[in-house]
Amino acid sequence: MKFNTKTIHGGQEHDPAYGAVMPPIYQTSTYAQSTPGGHKGYEYSRTHNPTRNALEKSFASIENGEYGLAFASGLAAIDAVLKLLKPGDEIISTNDLYGGSYRLFTKVYEDFGLKFHFIGMENADKVRNYVNDNTRLIWVETPTNPMMNIIDIKAMAEVASDHDILLAVDNTFATPYLQRPLDMGADIVMHSATKYLGGHSDVVMGALAVKDKELADKLYFIQNASGGVCGPQDSFLVLRGIKTLHVRMQRHCENGRQIAEYLKTHPKIEKVYWPGFKDHPNHDVATAQMDDYGGMVSFVTKGHDYDEAIAIVEKLKVFTLAESLGGVESLAGHPASMTHASIPKEEREKTGVVDSLIRLSVGIEDIDDLIEDLRQALN
Ligand SMILES: *Cc1c(COP(=O)(O)O)cnc(C)c1O
């Protein structure tokens, strides 16, 4: 089955009760048993729920994995991955990453004895330098949020397999429409399904997909034991979202390209971060591992000014000033004061998240309206 077909049919069956084409929202916490243990595969909805199960099969299918897991948020999914580790274990992570992931790593898990190394991952040798006997996990986000750096997943997979380390890839920005990390040697792919997979800014959810049975069993154990699961209504919404992932992503990419090119020629703008540009430092890797360049675009103005950046995002009308990304509607964000406020200023400026940086999640509206909106806001 090819990708677009998988988004609609992958892992799905019509409901056995009445043949419902969409899985019903099984809004129940528990299931009747005829005798203790006499049930139809479902006992309690933290452990299993038919609507969530249908979604988990879809996650596995679209990421070319064998097993999928759904969580109450992207961070709950990351939390489950970190619970595979124990005190003293070390993690090498992308330094330019989602602020909430950084907060979870440093403010929660460092206290439990995990040690994180945040580094630029522009080449594999640099990563190898940080590997030691305690290294258990390499955490990669690509494209990165919000600087749109590209990390070579295959090269990271080589480092990981040479040293028997797990490689996890946060695939939220690219989605499997553009890039399939498990095919490139990653062990775990993670999503904030809140973003493109859900796609309509109406649900918060996280996902994991893996190929290996033993790893999947450990993660299912953690999912049930820690309990960070999502509800059936949200599972239904994300399952519905995934069915149009490919058509939405196609338009996100087309609009993203036009916006990036428009901004690049704008006299007030100093730099546009978008991996489709030939002068992007890892453009060749992006072209090799992605099928297109996505709908996320960041830029800085020539003024380098905090107040100017704030004025621009306030003036936008079609773009909504809001946290998050990946919905059908265009959003603008100011990372320094919003998504990345939890990263200390010196740390974030080292990676390029300066006060004048603006991040756009380009939606699927008519491109002329989006460009006109940016034109008036930059004026
Ligand atoms: C939003 C996001 C997360 C966190 O997901 P939530 O669903 O908000 O918990 C993790 N990684 C990336 C890249 C994100 O954009």
mmCIF file of all heavy atoms in Angstrom, residues 29-52:
data_model
loop_
_atom_site.group_PDB
_atom_site.id
_atom_site.type_symbol
_atom_site.label_atom_id
_atom_site.label_comp_id
_atom_site.label_asym_id
_atom_site.label_seq_id
_atom_site.Cartn_x
_atom_site.Cartn_y
_atom_site.Cartn_z
ATOM 1 N N SER A 29 -14.934 3.428 30.021
ATOM 2 C CA SER A 29 -13.712 3.134 30.770
ATOM 3 C C SER A 29 -13.528 1.637 30.946
ATOM 4 O O SER A 29 -12.413 1.146 31.102
ATOM 5 C CB SER A 29 -13.751 3.816 32.140
ATOM 6 O OG SER A 29 -14.861 3.338 32.868
ATOM 7 N N THR A 30 -14.657 0.875 30.910
ATOM 8 C CA THR A 30 -14.546 -0.543 31.224
ATOM 9 C C THR A 30 -15.434 -1.392 30.325
ATOM 10 O O THR A 30 -16.216 -0.857 29.543
ATOM 11 C CB THR A 30 -14.834 -0.768 32.737
ATOM 12 O OG1 THR A 30 -14.491 -2.098 33.092
ATOM 13 C CG2 THR A 30 -16.283 -0.470 33.074
ATOM 14 N N TYR A 31 -15.290 -2.704 30.401
ATOM 15 C CA TYR A 31 -15.910 -3.646 29.458
ATOM 16 C C TYR A 31 -16.471 -4.830 30.242
ATOM 17 O O TYR A 31 -15.801 -5.370 31.135
ATOM 18 C CB TYR A 31 -14.858 -4.134 28.446
ATOM 19 C CG TYR A 31 -14.164 -2.969 27.755
ATOM 20 C CD1 TYR A 31 -13.110 -2.302 28.386
ATOM 21 C CD2 TYR A 31 -14.589 -2.505 26.516
ATOM 22 C CE1 TYR A 31 -12.497 -1.199 27.792
ATOM 23 C CE2 TYR A 31 -13.985 -1.407 25.910
ATOM 24 C CZ TYR A 31 -12.939 -0.758 26.554
ATOM 25 O OH TYR A 31 -12.346 0.331 25.965
ATOM 26 N N ALA A 32 -17.686 -5.245 29.903
ATOM 27 C CA ALA A 32 -18.345 -6.343 30.629
ATOM 28 C C ALA A 32 -17.608 -7.662 30.409
ATOM 29 O O ALA A 32 -17.139 -7.949 29.304
ATOM 30 C CB ALA A 32 -19.784 -6.471 30.143
ATOM 31 N N GLN A 33 -17.494 -8.440 31.466
ATOM 32 C CA GLN A 33 -16.868 -9.770 31.399
ATOM 33 C C GLN A 33 -17.917 -10.827 31.768
ATOM 34 O O GLN A 33 -18.703 -10.629 32.691
ATOM 35 C CB GLN A 33 -15.678 -9.846 32.372
ATOM 36 C CG GLN A 33 -14.689 -8.694 32.176
ATOM 37 C CD GLN A 33 -13.371 -8.870 32.911
ATOM 38 O OE1 GLN A 33 -13.101 -9.923 33.485
ATOM 39 N NE2 GLN A 33 -12.543 -7.839 32.883
ATOM 40 N N SER A 34 -17.914 -11.944 31.068
ATOM 41 C CA SER A 34 -18.909 -12.992 31.341
ATOM 42 C C SER A 34 -18.493 -13.804 32.562
ATOM 43 O O SER A 34 -19.325 -14.304 33.311
ATOM 44 C CB SER A 34 -19.040 -13.909 30.120
ATOM 45 O OG SER A 34 -17.759 -14.397 29.769
ATOM 46 N N THR A 35 -17.187 -13.922 32.744
ATOM 47 C CA THR A 35 -16.598 -14.601 33.882
ATOM 48 C C THR A 35 -15.263 -13.888 34.083
ATOM 49 O O THR A 35 -14.784 -13.247 33.132
ATOM 50 C CB THR A 35 -16.427 -16.117 33.565
ATOM 51 O OG1 THR A 35 -15.785 -16.765 34.655
ATOM 52 C CG2 THR A 35 -15.633 -16.360 32.303
ATOM 53 N N PRO A 36 -14.646 -13.887 35.256
ATOM 54 C CA PRO A 36 -13.390 -13.149 35.389
ATOM 55 C C PRO A 36 -12.396 -13.509 34.268
ATOM 56 O O PRO A 36 -12.097 -14.677 34.053
ATOM 57 C CB PRO A 36 -12.876 -13.564 36.766
ATOM 58 C CG PRO A 36 -14.128 -13.863 37.533
ATOM 59 C CD PRO A 36 -15.062 -14.493 36.535
ATOM 60 N N GLY A 37 -11.958 -12.511 33.543
ATOM 61 C CA GLY A 37 -11.061 -12.730 32.405
ATOM 62 C C GLY A 37 -11.809 -13.076 31.111
ATOM 63 O O GLY A 37 -11.201 -13.144 30.044
ATOM 64 N N GLY A 38 -13.106 -13.265 31.174
ATOM 65 C CA GLY A 38 -13.896 -13.591 29.971
ATOM 66 C C GLY A 38 -14.343 -12.308 29.286
ATOM 67 O O GLY A 38 -15.424 -11.785 29.553
ATOM 68 N N HIS A 39 -13.491 -11.777 28.401
ATOM 69 C CA HIS A 39 -13.826 -10.523 27.709
ATOM 70 C C HIS A 39 -13.419 -10.628 26.249
ATOM 71 O O HIS A 39 -12.866 -11.640 25.825
ATOM 72 C CB HIS A 39 -13.138 -9.348 28.410
ATOM 73 C CG HIS A 39 -11.646 -9.522 28.541
ATOM 74 N ND1 HIS A 39 -10.791 -9.408 27.479
ATOM 75 C CD2 HIS A 39 -10.867 -9.834 29.619
ATOM 76 C CE1 HIS A 39 -9.559 -9.623 27.870
ATOM 77 N NE2 HIS A 39 -9.573 -9.893 29.175
ATOM 78 N N LYS A 40 -13.715 -9.588 25.494
ATOM 79 C CA LYS A 40 -13.460 -9.622 24.042
ATOM 80 C C LYS A 40 -12.165 -8.898 23.680
ATOM 81 O O LYS A 40 -12.061 -8.303 22.609
ATOM 82 C CB LYS A 40 -14.656 -9.015 23.318
ATOM 83 C CG LYS A 40 -15.928 -9.825 23.560
ATOM 84 C CD LYS A 40 -17.136 -9.186 22.922
ATOM 85 C CE LYS A 40 -18.342 -10.121 23.117
ATOM 86 N NZ LYS A 40 -19.621 -9.448 22.932
ATOM 87 N N GLY A 41 -11.181 -8.944 24.584
ATOM 88 C CA GLY A 41 -9.894 -8.299 24.288
ATOM 89 C C GLY A 41 -9.736 -6.957 24.962
ATOM 90 O O GLY A 41 -8.668 -6.352 24.892
ATOM 91 N N TYR A 42 -10.801 -6.476 25.600
ATOM 92 C CA TYR A 42 -10.732 -5.169 26.259
ATOM 93 C C TYR A 42 -11.216 -5.293 27.694
ATOM 94 O O TYR A 42 -12.287 -5.852 27.952
ATOM 95 C CB TYR A 42 -11.599 -4.156 25.507
ATOM 96 C CG TYR A 42 -11.057 -3.876 24.120
ATOM 97 C CD1 TYR A 42 -11.508 -4.611 23.014
ATOM 98 C CD2 TYR A 42 -10.089 -2.905 23.919
ATOM 99 C CE1 TYR A 42 -10.989 -4.373 21.749
ATOM 100 C CE2 TYR A 42 -9.574 -2.661 22.658
ATOM 101 C CZ TYR A 42 -10.023 -3.401 21.576
ATOM 102 O OH TYR A 42 -9.513 -3.164 20.334
ATOM 103 N N GLU A 43 -10.400 -4.782 28.635
ATOM 104 C CA GLU A 43 -10.763 -4.848 30.053
ATOM 105 C C GLU A 43 -10.957 -3.473 30.664
ATOM 106 O O GLU A 43 -11.821 -3.255 31.491
ATOM 107 C CB GLU A 43 -9.632 -5.531 30.838
ATOM 108 C CG GLU A 43 -9.480 -6.993 30.588
ATOM 109 C CD GLU A 43 -8.186 -7.487 31.201
ATOM 110 O OE1 GLU A 43 -7.133 -7.309 30.556
ATOM 111 O OE2 GLU A 43 -8.227 -8.006 32.326
ATOM 112 N N TYR A 44 -10.051 -2.553 30.311
ATOM 113 C CA TYR A 44 -10.023 -1.241 30.970
ATOM 114 C C TYR A 44 -9.358 -0.275 29.993
ATOM 115 O O TYR A 44 -8.347 -0.620 29.362
ATOM 116 C CB TYR A 44 -9.219 -1.363 32.278
ATOM 117 C CG TYR A 44 -9.247 -0.129 33.131
ATOM 118 C CD1 TYR A 44 -10.455 0.380 33.615
ATOM 119 C CD2 TYR A 44 -8.078 0.542 33.475
ATOM 120 C CE1 TYR A 44 -10.485 1.518 34.403
ATOM 121 C CE2 TYR A 44 -8.099 1.687 34.259
ATOM 122 C CZ TYR A 44 -9.306 2.167 34.718
ATOM 123 O OH TYR A 44 -9.326 3.293 35.497
ATOM 124 N N SER A 45 -9.893 0.932 29.864
ATOM 125 C CA SER A 45 -9.478 1.801 28.749
ATOM 126 C C SER A 45 -8.120 2.487 28.921
ATOM 127 O O SER A 45 -7.615 3.069 27.965
ATOM 128 C CB SER A 45 -10.554 2.834 28.435
ATOM 129 O OG SER A 45 -11.588 2.213 27.688
ATOM 130 N N ARG A 46 -7.516 2.437 30.125
ATOM 131 C CA ARG A 46 -6.122 2.907 30.174
ATOM 132 C C ARG A 46 -5.244 1.944 29.386
ATOM 133 O O ARG A 46 -4.327 2.333 28.691
ATOM 134 C CB ARG A 46 -5.630 3.042 31.627
ATOM 135 C CG ARG A 46 -4.126 3.336 31.668
ATOM 136 C CD ARG A 46 -3.561 3.797 33.004
ATOM 137 N NE ARG A 46 -4.267 3.389 34.181
ATOM 138 C CZ ARG A 46 -4.241 2.151 34.704
ATOM 139 N NH1 ARG A 46 -3.540 1.195 34.137
ATOM 140 N NH2 ARG A 46 -4.929 1.874 35.784
ATOM 141 N N THR A 47 -5.569 0.657 29.515
ATOM 142 C CA THR A 47 -4.769 -0.382 28.875
ATOM 143 C C THR A 47 -5.059 -0.467 27.372
ATOM 144 O O THR A 47 -4.135 -0.430 26.552
ATOM 145 C CB THR A 47 -5.061 -1.735 29.543
ATOM 146 O OG1 THR A 47 -5.197 -1.542 30.948
ATOM 147 C CG2 THR A 47 -3.972 -2.744 29.265
ATOM 148 N N HIS A 48 -6.344 -0.608 27.020
ATOM 149 C CA HIS A 48 -6.740 -0.702 25.605
ATOM 150 C C HIS A 48 -8.114 -0.079 25.424
ATOM 151 O O HIS A 48 -8.978 -0.249 26.275
ATOM 152 C CB HIS A 48 -6.888 -2.168 25.155
ATOM 153 C CG HIS A 48 -5.644 -2.967 25.231
ATOM 154 N ND1 HIS A 48 -4.558 -2.741 24.424
ATOM 155 C CD2 HIS A 48 -5.313 -4.005 26.019
ATOM 156 C CE1 HIS A 48 -3.608 -3.616 24.711
ATOM 157 N NE2 HIS A 48 -4.034 -4.397 25.686
ATOM 158 N N ASN A 49 -8.285 0.556 24.281
ATOM 159 C CA ASN A 49 -9.608 1.075 23.905
ATOM 160 C C ASN A 49 -9.707 0.910 22.389
ATOM 161 O O ASN A 49 -8.737 1.211 21.681
ATOM 162 C CB ASN A 49 -9.710 2.551 24.326
ATOM 163 C CG ASN A 49 -10.957 3.215 23.800
ATOM 164 O OD1 ASN A 49 -11.032 3.613 22.647
ATOM 165 N ND2 ASN A 49 -11.959 3.310 24.646
ATOM 166 N N PRO A 50 -10.853 0.437 21.893
ATOM 167 C CA PRO A 50 -10.930 0.141 20.445
ATOM 168 C C PRO A 50 -10.678 1.356 19.547
ATOM 169 O O PRO A 50 -10.064 1.225 18.483
ATOM 170 C CB PRO A 50 -12.351 -0.385 20.251
ATOM 171 C CG PRO A 50 -12.817 -0.805 21.604
ATOM 172 C CD PRO A 50 -12.090 0.041 22.607
ATOM 173 N N THR A 51 -11.151 2.538 19.956
ATOM 174 C CA THR A 51 -10.932 3.725 19.116
ATOM 175 C C THR A 51 -9.442 4.090 19.125
ATOM 176 O O THR A 51 -8.852 4.391 18.081
ATOM 177 C CB THR A 51 -11.778 4.924 19.610
ATOM 178 O OG1 THR A 51 -13.069 4.463 19.976
ATOM 179 C CG2 THR A 51 -11.895 5.981 18.535
ATOM 180 N N ARG A 52 -8.834 4.031 20.322
ATOM 181 C CA ARG A 52 -7.397 4.333 20.407
ATOM 182 C C ARG A 52 -6.578 3.299 19.634
ATOM 183 O O ARG A 52 -5.605 3.633 18.957
ATOM 184 C CB ARG A 52 -6.959 4.388 21.875
ATOM 185 C CG ARG A 52 -5.594 5.017 22.062
ATOM 186 C CD ARG A 52 -5.224 5.098 23.528
ATOM 187 N NE ARG A 52 -4.524 3.917 23.974
ATOM 188 C CZ ARG A 52 -4.669 3.332 25.168
ATOM 189 N NH1 ARG A 52 -5.533 3.805 26.038
ATOM 190 N NH2 ARG A 52 -3.980 2.267 25.477
#
